[in-house]
């Protein structure tokens, strides 16, 4: 009896010893968790730094937020008649929104149409040609789009619509081609997620293929399609170099689509290197970056809202 | 009146239980659960399962699906720790292993497990068996070779694979893969082997080979097996526990359960009237 | 009924038209890049240093910089992304903290790369005084790369069946050992595909680099591989214009007489590199998978 109780005690000791596996487990958790913390820290740091720099225009230089958002003149180095610096960002904000909305408006029907084609009408050709090509084009660097914009789109706009060729219109064309593969490939994913029996049930009820596509498939995929379009818009809004190369970079209120204009990103890319850290000119640029950052948060939020609504349905 | 009475009897049947714990000095108890309850979130999946398992014997856990038998089995070596809350005591040779300060990794080396679907790793046949040994400090090619061969022989797989131990284990047939998983488990020389419906994905020939293997393995290991297949339970096990709706309703020697069940529902189940 | 059929015909016809047009645009795009760019390519073009005011410069230094930055950025970002993906998929509980972390990663992935570049400028170039350098650029690219790489590795972990994890745990391995010795080896083909595809993205990125790695490419002495020498290709503290930045730079400044030819050639090199990355990813992924599963 005594012998048995000592053997139980020794087994218990063995089972309660911290094994090598248990030590490795603790180590693994700490290591992998630190990596995750690092990423979160990066996100927080980016938002924190850009925000603190971006609000300096308003806190340190005492520019009114209202003037910044609605002012039409952008000359941070010059003071206007009232002795206030000219830091009206409206022209760039309008420029950014215009090219984003216009390019999304053109790209959406093309992208969804192509996605429908490769998923519903000709899945064979879709899988063999269209899908790999669109996926490949998603990876083409934006400077290449910018260069083609400069050497093909700008001369084309100039000869067809007049003007210098640089402007909102050229920017819209370049962004249209640039977001097209992204939106197409995401739309195709959304359509692929619609269960097969939806289509079969509809066709069995005597609906034509188009009726099935329009009333059943597209409707069921609406949240996914909307997400695709919003993603495309976010990419267009944040694109810097390709737009900067073709838009003409004149921080003026756009009066026509073929006059040189500017976007938040184009002014940022050209300006940051030419201003002195801490000066009003520089702070004003950081405020533009902050607007850009906030808009990307807004796009993110929209995608989330769509996702939530999609799940509720 | 009659109808009422009938319902009453049925309700009584539900609670009627017959538990006979093994009592054979040749085969002492190595594992026992006391007052075991398992919860998934707030819902209780296992209400009580108080069983004792005899050394070097095969105990079969049978019952309809959803009866809690797999939940019970997976609680024994705490494979359910992340998804379920297990309350009660799991006495392994006198030590309660369901305590937070128990090193589950050391415990699982002593209480091994084989699953329903064969799950060989994406490694060579040799490495499938050798790799956990290496991680636990077994080194030396000779030693490893020997352990791999012994384990594969015990799992009755050696003759079929001895010439291509370097081949990927993912190319094995279902029956072979399941034997490999058994070899992998016994390479660590566990004390108890838990098997969760190990033959349910296998064809009849592989199943019968597997049963032969288990009968040989019980000379060295204590085996607890969940099975859907009552003939299998009858063929290989010494003891059988019948689970229904999260409770053990009957536990006795296998011959008793299949020839002379005391509980009505057990009788219905083993005679194929329900489940 | 008749009307529905007619409508069907018109609609399907227009869909053919639309997709035809899209294919045309995409093919024209690729075609233009290759047709205008391929004739520019030569050994001289790929290896010679650039000339600022004269014709006949090459992109040798820029090409080297692109690869050097790519490798550094991948070396920094891969372990971090791997660790984060492992924690998220294997350890994280399904609660609000995890969901907040996922949101943060999503935000990082949707930030415009110019914002990431500006942050890199502010933090590494100015605050940490690294200047316009390979190192600053590599960190900016890391931030740009982390969210997508993390997600792609997490997806790769998801492709490995849960029963492999159970198998490892049942042998008394810790979850960490199970992941490292069983799950990761099985997920290698898929992880590799994700890594190569993300490498393609990093290779072509410019906006995050113009204010971090800089816009100049000082001549390099390719005989000097001591990373502490200023003209050594390996020196991480030198400014390093990449191929993508080069295309932007010469088109924005336009002082190089053959800027267009150089841009065409550089664009073709970029696109071919991306094509190669894509094919390599598909081919290697498939091959490794085959090797892993077959006899």
């Amino acid at each position: 009896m005594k012998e048995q109780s000592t053997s139980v005690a020794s087994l218990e000791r063995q089972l309660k010893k911290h094994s090598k596996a248990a030590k490795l487990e603790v180590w693994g958790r700490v290591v992998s968790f630190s990596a995750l913390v690092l990423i979160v820290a990066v996100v927080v740091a980016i938002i924190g730094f850009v925000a603190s720099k971006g609000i300096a225009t308003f806190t340190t230089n005492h520019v009114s937020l209202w003037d910044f958002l609605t002012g039409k003149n952008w000359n941070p180095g010059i003071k206007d008649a009232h002795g206030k610096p000219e830091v009206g960002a409206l022209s760039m904000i309008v420029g950014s929104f215009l090219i984003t909305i216009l390019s999304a408006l053109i790209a959406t029907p093309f992208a969804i149409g192509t996605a429908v084609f490769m998923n519903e009408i000709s899945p064979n050709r879709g899988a063999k040609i269209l899908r790999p090509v669109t996926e490949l084009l998603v990876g083409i660097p934006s400077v290449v789009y910018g260069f083609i914009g400069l050497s093909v789109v700008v001369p084309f706009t100039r000869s067809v619509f007049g003007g210098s060729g640089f402007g909102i219109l050229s920017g819209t064309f370049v962004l249209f081609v640039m977001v097209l593969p992204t939106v197409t490939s995401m739309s195709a994913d959304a359509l692929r997620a619609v269960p097969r029996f939806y289509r079969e049930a509809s066709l069995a009820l005597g609906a034509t293929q188009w009726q099935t596509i329009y009333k059943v498939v597209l409707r069921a995929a609406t949240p996914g399609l909307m997400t695709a379009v919003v993603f495309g818009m976010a990419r267009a809004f944040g694109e810097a170099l390709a737009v900067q190369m073709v838009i003409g970079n004149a921080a003026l209120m756009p009066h026509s689509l073929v006059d040189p204009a500017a976007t938040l990103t184009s002014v940022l890319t050209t300006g940051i290197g030419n201003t002195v850290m801490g000066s009003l000119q520089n702070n004003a640029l950081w405020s533009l970056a902050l607007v850009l950052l906030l808009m990307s948060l807004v796009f993110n939020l929209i995608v989330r809202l769509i996702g939530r609504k999609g799940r509720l349905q | 009146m009659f109808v009422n009475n009938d319902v009453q009897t049925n309700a009584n049947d539900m609670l009627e239980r017959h538990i006979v714990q093994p009592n054979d000095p040749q085969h002492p108890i190595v594992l026992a659960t006391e007052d075991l309850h398992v919860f998934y979130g707030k819902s209780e999946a296992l209400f009580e399962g108080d069983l004792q398992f005899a050394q070097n014997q095969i105990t079969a856990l049978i019952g309809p699906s959803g009866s809690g038998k797999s939940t019970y089995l997976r609680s024994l070596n705490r494979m359910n720790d992340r998804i379920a809350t297990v309350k009660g005591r799991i006495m392994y040779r006198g030590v309660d292993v369901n305590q937070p300060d128990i090193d589950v990794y050391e415990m699982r080396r002593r209480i091994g497990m084989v699953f329903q679907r064969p799950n060989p790793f994406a490694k060579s046949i040799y490495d499938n068996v050798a790799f956990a040994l290496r991680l636990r400090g077994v080194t030396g090619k000779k030693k490893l070779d020997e352990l791999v061969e012994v384990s594969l022989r015990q799992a009755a797989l050696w003759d079929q694979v001895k010439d291509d131990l370097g081949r990927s284990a993912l190319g094995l047939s279902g029956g072979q893969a399941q034997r490999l998983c058994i070899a992998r488990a016994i390479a660590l020389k566990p004390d108890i082997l838990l098997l969760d419906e190990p033959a349910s994905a296998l064809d009849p020939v592989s199943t019968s080979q597997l049963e032969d293997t288990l009968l040989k393995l019980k000379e060295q290991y204590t085996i607890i097996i969940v099975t859907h297949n009552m003939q299998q339970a009858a063929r290989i096990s010494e003891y059988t526990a019948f689970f229904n709706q999260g409770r053990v309703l009957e536990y006795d020697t296998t011959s008793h359960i299949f020839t002379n069940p005391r509980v009505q529902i057990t009788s219905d189940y083993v005679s194929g009237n329900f489940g | 009924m008749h009307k529905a059929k007619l409508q069907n015909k018109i609609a399907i016809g227009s869909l053919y038209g639309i997709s035809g047009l899209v294919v045309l645009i995409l093919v024209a795009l690729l075609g233009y890049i290759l047709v205008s760019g391929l004739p520019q390519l030569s050994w001289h073009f790929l290896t010679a240093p650039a000339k600022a005011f004269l014709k006949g410069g090459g992109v040798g230094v820029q090409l080297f910089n692109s690869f050097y930055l790519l490798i550094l950025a991948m070396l920094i970002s891969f372990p971090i992304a791997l660790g984060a993906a492992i924690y998220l998929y294997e350890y994280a509980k399904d609660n609000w903290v995890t969901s907040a972390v996922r949101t943060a990663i999503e935000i990082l992935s949707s930030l415009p790369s110019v914002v990431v570049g500006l942050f890199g400028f502010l933090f590494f170039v100015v605050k940490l005084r690294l200047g316009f350098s390979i190192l600053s650029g590599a960190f900016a690219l890391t931030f740009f790369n982390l969210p997508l790489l993390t997600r792609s590795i997490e997806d790769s972990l998801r492709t490995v069946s849960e029963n492999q994890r159970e198998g490892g745990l049942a042998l008394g391995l810790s979850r960490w050992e199970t992941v490292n010795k069983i799950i990761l080896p099985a997920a290698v083909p898929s992880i590799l595909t994700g890594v190569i595809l993300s490498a393609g993205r990093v290779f072509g990125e410019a906006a995050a680099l113009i204010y971090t790695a800089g816009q100049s490419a000082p001549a390099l002495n390719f005989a000097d591989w001591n990373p502490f020498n200023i003209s050594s290709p390996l020196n991480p503290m030198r400014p390093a214009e990449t191929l993508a930045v080069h295309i932007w730079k010469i088109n924005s400044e336009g002082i190089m007489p053959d800027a267009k030819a150089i841009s065409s050639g550089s664009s073709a090199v970029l696109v071919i590199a991306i094509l190669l990355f894509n094919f390599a990813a598909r081919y290697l992924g498939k091959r490794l998978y085959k090797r892993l599963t077959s006899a």
Side-chain angles (χ1 to χ4, degrees):
Chain A
M1 203 60 209
K2 198 176 169 207
E3 193 181 310
Q4 200 189 349
S5 73
T6 52
S7 80
V8 167
S10 106
L11 177 65
E12 181 156 11
R13 251 199 322 279
Q14 285 175 29
L15 283 173
K16 287 189 175 173
K17 207 175 62 190
H18 217 43
S19 70
K20 193 179 151 214
K23 282 170 197 150
L24 280 171
E25 180 72 353
V26 173
W27 156 255
R29 263 177 179 272
V30 169
V31 167
S32 60
F33 186 69
S34 324
L36 194 61
V37 168
L38 194 63
I39 297 184
V40 174
V42 166
V43 180
V44 172
I46 291 180
I47 295 177
F49 268 91
V50 174
S52 75
K53 280 297 236 177
I55 57 173
T57 317
F58 313 110
T59 54
T60 317
N61 307 102
H62 305 291
V63 173
S64 98
L65 181 63
W66 182 250
D67 288 347
F68 175 74
L69 290 177
T70 59
K72 292 176 187 166
N73 295 319
W74 178 262
N75 290 302
I78 297 174
K79 295 203 163 147
D80 66 6
H82 307 287
K84 288 187 194 161
E86 298 190 331
V87 284
L90 187 65
S91 58
M92 278 103 61
I93 295 175
V94 168
S96 280
F97 274 99
L98 258 182
I99 54 165
T100 302
I101 292 168
L102 287 178
S103 58
L105 276 180
I106 313 177
T108 303
F110 279 97
I112 294 181
T114 310
V116 167
F117 181 84
M118 65 200 234
N119 216 45
E120 310 290 325
I121 296 176
S122 187
N124 255 339
R125 262 175 280 189
K128 273 207 193 102
I129 309 168
L130 275 165
R131 243 186 97 186
V133 172
T134 44
E135 275 169 15
L136 174 72
L137 282 161
V138 172
I140 299 243
S142 60
V143 281
V144 174
Y145 283 103
F147 165 63
I148 293 176
L150 198 59
S151 50
V152 179
V153 177
V154 169
F156 170 81
T157 320
R158 178 162 49 219
S159 62
V160 176
F161 301 98
S164 65
F166 291 97
I168 303 270
L169 194 63
S170 294
T172 301
F173 282 145
V174 168
L175 284 182
F176 155 63
V177 181
M178 205 174 131
V179 301
L180 187 60
T182 312
V183 184
T184 307
S185 128
M186 286 183 72
S187 301
D189 288 343
L191 294 179
R192 214 170 301 131
V194 176
R196 181 155 291 281
F197 66 84
Y198 277 40
R199 303 174 178 88
E200 283 158 3
S202 165
L203 291 171
L205 287 172
T208 62
Q209 192 177 16
W210 171 244
Q211 284 168 330
T212 303
I213 291 169
Y214 186 72
K215 297 215 167 127
V216 179
V217 179
L218 286 183
R219 220 142 281 183
T222 302
L225 296 175
M226 279 163 67
T227 307
V229 173
V230 175
F231 255 93
M233 288 174 72
R235 190 164 176 208
F237 198 88
E239 176 50 41
L241 303 188
V243 173
Q244 186 266 339
M245 287 162 89
V246 299
I247 200 150
N249 302 310
L252 306 165
M253 278 308 281
H255 292 290
S256 86
L257 296 182
V258 290
D259 287 336
T263 64
L264 295 166
T265 51
S266 75
V267 172
L268 264 177
T269 33
T270 41
I272 274 287
N274 303 326
T275 51
V276 180
M277 257 306 162
S279 66
L280 169 64
Q281 288 96 315
N282 188 269
N283 287 347
L285 288 172
W286 283 102
S287 301
L288 298 184
L290 181 58
V291 173
L292 210 54
L293 185 126
L294 291 176
M295 272 315 291
S296 112
L297 295 183
V298 168
F299 283 122
N300 223 296
L301 197 67
I302 297 175
V303 168
R304 273 179 173 250
L305 289 178
I306 296 171
R308 194 166 297 165
K309 223 175 149 200
R311 233 174 295 137
L312 286 181
Q313 283 172 352
Chain B
M1 198 51 192
F2 259 133
V3 175
N4 264 345
N5 222 344
D6 216 20
V7 171
Q8 200 99 46
T9 339
N10 270 344
N12 275 338
D13 273 354
M14 288 296 286
L15 295 172
E16 191 192 328
R17 301 171 72 199
H18 175 76
I19 312 282
V20 177
Q21 305 292 7
N23 185 14
D24 176 357
Q26 294 271 306
H27 300 288
I29 303 299
V30 289
L31 187 69
T33 54
E34 295 168 5
D35 202 19
L36 198 75
H37 297 259
V38 182
F39 302 84
Y40 290 116
K42 285 208 171 105
S43 71
E44 195 165 359
L46 190 80
F47 299 95
E48 41 196 326
D50 292 353
L51 298 175
Q52 300 182 353
F53 301 98
Q55 187 170 354
N56 296 88
Q57 301 276 278
I58 298 181
T59 306
L61 311 182
I62 63 169
S65 29
S67 60
K69 55 191 191 303
S70 278
T71 298
Y72 178 80
L73 187 81
R74 293 170 60 93
S75 303
L76 293 179
N77 68 344
R78 294 180 53 184
M79 288 297 286
N80 271 349
D81 270 12
R82 266 161 72 99
I83 46 176
T85 316
V86 181
K87 287 188 180 149
R89 288 175 301 283
I90 300 168
M91 304 305 291
Y92 165 64
R93 293 190 181 275
V95 180
D96 179 8
V97 292
N98 193 28
Q99 298 180 79
D101 59 346
I102 286 288
D103 189 289
V104 289
Y105 315 109
E106 183 58 33
M107 184 269 284
R108 285 183 191 141
R109 284 192 52 196
R110 293 158 192 257
I111 308 180
M113 189 166 209
V114 173
F115 298 86
Q116 186 167 2
R117 303 213 139 268
N119 56 352
F121 303 136
K123 300 176 185 298
S124 71
I125 294 171
Y126 183 93
D127 282 341
N128 258 274
V129 182
F131 126 99
L133 292 169
R134 277 199 205 104
L135 283 184
R136 288 301 158 260
V138 180
T139 47
K141 191 171 168 353
K142 223 173 148 193
K143 186 101 191 274
L144 280 172
D145 285 353
E146 192 188 308
L147 280 167
V148 168
E149 178 174 343
V150 169
S151 310
L152 285 170
R153 274 189 196 283
Q154 285 186 340
L157 189 62
W158 176 253
D159 290 331
Q160 294 163 56
V161 299
K162 63 174 183 244
D163 295 324
D164 27 36
L165 291 172
R167 249 177 45 188
S168 166
L170 300 184
L172 294 175
S173 75
Q176 291 175 324
Q178 195 61 297
R179 285 157 186 289
L180 181 65
C181 294
I182 292 178
R184 187 170 81 186
I186 58 185
L188 291 168
K189 301 223 183 323
D191 194 0
I192 300 171
L193 203 54
L194 310 174
L195 300 109
D196 189 1
E197 300 193 32
S200 69
L202 305 185
D203 58 87
V205 176
S206 307
T207 302
S208 118
Q209 288 171 344
L210 190 76
E211 287 173 9
D212 291 343
T213 308
L214 292 181
L215 286 172
K216 282 195 196 107
L217 285 176
K218 82 169 178 188
E219 289 161 18
Q220 293 177 51
Y221 308 100
T222 304
I223 293 175
I224 304 170
I225 176 171
V226 165
T227 177
H228 249 108
N229 180 336
M230 277 174 284
Q231 288 75 27
Q232 184 170 64
R235 278 193 300 264
I236 61 174
S237 69
E238 278 79 22
Y239 296 94
T240 297
F242 173 68
F243 281 71
N244 193 38
Q245 300 191 341
R247 284 191 169 82
V248 183
L249 292 189
E250 187 154 2
Y251 184 41
D252 208 332
T253 59
T254 299
S255 58
H256 263 106
I257 294 272
F258 283 94
T259 56
N260 186 21
R262 305 291 174 83
V263 179
Q264 185 59 40
I265 300 177
T266 316
S267 164
D268 288 346
Y269 184 75
V270 297
S271 58
N273 287 342
F274 104 102
Chain C
M1 202 57 207
H2 189 72
K3 200 182 142 204
K5 273 191 180 153
L6 185 70
Q7 207 183 24
N8 187 46
K9 261 198 176 149
I10 294 175
I12 305 280
S14 344
L15 283 175
Y16 264 90
I18 286 178
S19 0
L21 204 59
V22 167
V23 172
L24 206 69
I25 294 174
L26 301 185
V27 168
L29 186 72
L30 271 181
Y32 179 84
I33 298 167
L34 295 179
V35 168
S36 69
L38 285 180
Q40 314 297 332
L41 302 190
S42 64
W43 183 245
H44 171 79
F45 179 76
L46 292 178
T47 54
K51 289 179 181 164
F53 305 102
L54 299 169
K55 279 175 78 134
V59 293
V61 176
Q62 283 81 4
L63 198 56
F64 176 83
N65 288 342
S66 288
F67 277 108
Y68 191 28
L69 266 168
L70 171 69
I71 290 169
L72 275 185
M74 287 318 250
L75 282 180
I76 305 172
S77 53
F78 182 72
I80 302 175
L82 182 67
I86 289 177
Y87 194 87
L88 274 177
Y89 190 72
E90 306 286 345
Y91 288 117
K93 295 203 180 82
D94 195 10
N95 56 20
W96 70 270
V97 182
T98 309
S99 117
V101 168
R102 283 186 192 279
T103 308
I105 294 177
E106 243 167 69
I107 288 174
L108 186 56
S109 81
S110 66
L111 280 185
S113 56
V114 62
V115 172
V116 175
L118 287 176
F119 169 74
F121 171 63
L122 196 60
F123 190 71
F124 296 112
V125 177
V126 179
K127 273 244 151 64
L128 298 187
R129 295 164 196 249
L130 294 178
F132 291 126
S133 63
I134 295 257
L135 219 48
S136 304
F139 284 127
L141 286 179
T142 296
F143 295 167
F144 166 82
N145 192 27
L146 274 176
L148 279 168
L149 193 57
T150 304
R151 197 183 307 158
S152 115
I153 297 177
E154 210 190 328
D155 287 342
S156 305
L157 294 176
R158 193 167 292 128
T159 61
V160 180
S161 157
E162 200 52 39
N163 72 29
Q164 297 278 307
R165 293 179 177 82
E166 286 191 328
L169 294 176
L171 290 175
L173 307 188
S174 60
R175 193 159 272 272
W176 180 249
E177 289 168 297
T178 305
V179 170
N180 276 293
K181 310 282 174 169
I182 300 170
I183 307 301
L184 286 183
V188 159
S190 163
I191 291 178
L192 189 77
T193 308
V195 167
I196 299 181
L197 288 179
S198 78
R201 250 169 52 93
V202 169
F203 194 74
E205 176 56 30
L209 287 178
I210 51 179
Y211 291 117
T212 50
Q215 306 167 28
S216 60
L220 299 177
N221 174 8
F222 280 96
D224 180 359
W225 295 96
N226 179 352
F228 295 103
N229 291 349
I230 188 68
S231 62
S232 162
L234 291 185
N235 187 325
M237 298 312 290
R238 64 187 172 86
E241 179 195 44
T242 64
L243 202 55
V245 173
H246 191 56
I247 296 176
W248 172 75
K249 177 85 172 159
I250 55 182
N251 279 295
S252 306
E253 286 186 341
I255 43 172
M256 202 182 269
D258 54 353
K260 195 167 169 194
I262 302 268
S263 313
S264 300
S266 308
S267 298
V269 172
L270 272 185
V271 169
I272 290 168
I274 307 277
L275 274 172
L276 288 179
F277 280 127
N278 257 281
F279 289 136
R282 276 163 214 266
Y283 175 77
L284 281 176
K286 261 187 209 154
R287 224 187 118 139
L288 271 177
Y289 183 76
K290 238 185 177 168
R291 230 173 114 183
L292 208 62
T293 52
S294 75

